[in-house]
Amino acid sequence: MDDAEAVSVADAPQDRRYEARVGDDLAGTAAYIRTPEVVAFIHTEVGEAYEGRGIGSALARTALDDARAQGLRVLAICPFIAGWLTRHPEYDDLQFVPESSVTD
């Protein structure tokens, strides 16, 4: 992407998602559920016309940086966010780890 096609990412809390835009176009979203302690990312989607252009990474980085700034832990239900976290160990400290060890 050149500067004319720069991606901007912002939280849209009324829709419970982060939105990535290229110009006026909605290029992708990362949906979440938030509690006072945890933000669970449940689905990330990038429009077909924007695939392979770093939109998903921009969504993940912005959302996770926001979580860090707000002191939230992250539960990555979404496979894209989970995979992104695996490739970026500098965000390991954000991952939610349940305290309970109870099993069936």
Side-chain angles (χ1 to χ4, degrees):
M1 258 183 281
D2 59 31
D3 288 338
E5 293 186 307
V7 62
S8 63
V9 178
D11 189 6
Q14 69 281 6
D15 295 320
R16 294 186 311 267
R17 68 185 190 180
Y18 282 84
E19 296 178 344
R21 295 189 179 275
V22 175
D24 292 332
D25 293 339
L26 182 62
T29 60
Y32 62 79
I33 299 169
R34 186 175 297 178
T35 73
E37 296 87 23
V38 177
V39 58
F41 289 97
I42 56 175
H43 181 68
T44 302
E45 188 168 338
V46 173
E48 191 174 317
Y50 295 100
E51 290 178 359
R53 296 167 64 180
I55 303 296
S57 290
L59 281 163
R61 188 174 305 281
T62 299
L64 296 172
D65 286 346
D66 279 0
R68 178 172 279 138
Q70 295 170 34
L72 298 172
R73 292 288 176 240
V74 171
L75 177 58
I77 298 167
C78 167
F80 178 83
I81 298 291
W84 197 92
L85 281 166
T86 299
R87 292 185 306 278
H88 294 86
E90 65 272 25
Y91 288 90
D92 282 351
D93 62 302
L94 294 179
Q95 294 196 58
F96 174 76
V97 178
E99 293 179 18
S100 174
S101 60
V102 175
T103 61
D104 285 339

